[in-house]
Amino acid sequence: MSFGEPEGYDERVRPRPLGARIRSRTAAVAACVVLGLGLIGGAVTGSWLTGDDGSDGGASTFAAAGQLWHSVPVDQLFPPTVQGQGAGPGGADRTWTRIAVAPDTGCAGAFDALLSKVLAPVGCQRLLRATYTDATQSYVTTVGLLFTKADIAAMTSLSARFKNEKLGDRTDLLPRPYAAKGTVAAAFGDKQRASWTVSVLTDAPVVVYAVSGWADGRTVDAPEPADEAVTSGSTTAPSQSGLGNEAQGLADRVERSLRKTVDSPSETSASETSGTSKTSKTSATSKASGGNS
């Protein structure tokens, strides 16, 4: 074990001039400060010269997400089968099967009039929709991906408005279902909507939504937002039936699939190279094209 030398003495235990020691330390500190400022200044200057403010990565990802509607196979955005582990009431598992894919279109007729007005500031580049049913074919749910024309600021503003004004809970701001003829969702119209959810993304120019109802075409007098319908203890019909879980569960998993696609562009490229059908050319789309919007 070694001990440090007493402060103020040299290696021969002779008094060391304190003034000289302080001056040397001061000089060393000053040199470090100058060097540090030089490094920081160089980094900032380099950033200015290259135009890199650290946000390019996020902006690039945001822009790439906005082009997925025409470059990603429909089975990747809307899988034929979606597993919902723990997505049902009480943590029960769910399995959803896709029964129809709507042709990719604009947004006309896809939302209630007031919801269309709320979404207008972000624009509508393309709308993709698919309708699913549960394993028992008791429920039907339409899930949609609205690709907007907005930038990050506009999407952030819309997201804040939905949150601050609780627009996602208003029964006059509902998305409309996609009812495909010849399927169990043929009678799935506006009056059959039981629960819904709308999610405005801020890291992609996309609005994800889902709306659910009974497959037998029964009407619903008081639809309930999914975040309320999944609340424990709720006694409403949408809650007791699990229709809030249907809407929320499918929307969440389609959103996760979208994010995974953005984060794994190589997988998308590989699918395209192998000849997998695109959203606009899928056989499911042409089969379901006779459905109501």
Side-chain angles (χ1 to χ4, degrees):
M1 180 179 297
S2 60
F3 296 90
E5 297 175 0
E7 187 69 24
Y9 292 85
D10 61 16
E11 67 277 4
R12 296 185 182 181
V13 199
R14 294 180 300 184
R16 181 182 290 114
L18 295 177
R21 184 178 180 86
I22 293 173
R23 284 194 299 272
S24 63
R25 283 188 175 181
T26 302
V29 170
C32 290
V33 171
V34 172
L35 178 60
L37 290 175
L39 291 173
I40 294 173
V44 172
T45 301
S47 176
W48 288 340
L49 291 175
T50 60
D52 182 10
D53 60 359
S55 62
D56 286 354
S60 298
T61 301
F62 184 93
Q67 301 303 314
L68 294 180
W69 64 271
H70 65 73
S71 62
V72 175
V74 67
D75 287 352
Q76 199 165 332
L77 293 175
F78 300 125
T81 301
V82 177
Q83 299 296 333
Q85 184 174 4
D93 294 340
R94 278 285 190 267
T95 298
W96 296 286
T97 301
R98 191 185 70 198
I99 57 176
V101 177
D104 51 313
T105 63
C107 293
F111 307 103
D112 282 349
L114 287 180
L115 180 55
S116 292
K117 185 176 181 179
V118 169
L119 296 173
V122 296
C124 175
Q125 180 177 195
R126 213 67 175 179
L127 176 65
L128 307 182
R129 295 172 292 170
T131 297
Y132 288 78
T133 188
D134 67 310
T136 66
Q137 296 192 347
S138 299
Y139 313 119
V140 285
T141 303
T142 293
V143 60
L145 295 172
L146 163 59
F147 288 82
T148 74
K149 300 178 180 179
D151 57 15
I152 295 176
M155 293 301 292
T156 300
S157 176
L158 180 62
S159 177
R161 186 182 178 193
F162 260 81
K163 180 179 179 180
N164 297 335
E165 300 179 25
K166 300 185 182 302
L167 299 183
D169 296 337
R170 287 179 50 171
T171 55
D172 57 348
L173 298 175
L174 271 66
R176 290 175 174 168
Y178 174 67
K181 296 179 180 178
T183 72
V184 295
F188 189 23
D190 289 355
K191 294 183 179 180
Q192 284 70 39
R193 294 176 293 182
S195 190
W196 80 97
T197 182
V198 178
S199 177
V200 180
L201 307 188
T202 56
D203 53 355
V206 180
V207 176
V208 183
Y209 69 86
V211 57
S212 62
W214 279 277
D216 60 9
R218 74 182 72 176
T219 60
V220 179
D221 295 329
E224 184 178 25
D227 59 350
E228 294 182 6
V230 300
T231 302
S232 177
S234 176
T235 59
T236 64
S239 176
Q240 292 291 305
S241 64
L243 283 167
N245 298 83
E246 297 291 306
Q248 189 69 67
L250 258 176
D252 285 348
R253 280 151 184 81
V254 168
E255 181 178 330
R256 292 178 199 173
S257 179
L258 177 71
R259 293 182 186 280
K260 182 178 179 181
T261 301
V262 174
D263 294 337
S264 306
S266 58
E267 294 181 10
T268 302
S269 299
S271 297
E272 293 174 2
T273 303
S274 65
T276 305
S277 59
K278 304 296 189 299
T279 52
S280 59
K281 298 181 180 180
T282 176
S283 58
T285 300
S286 57
K287 182 179 180 180
S289 59
N292 301 320
S293 56

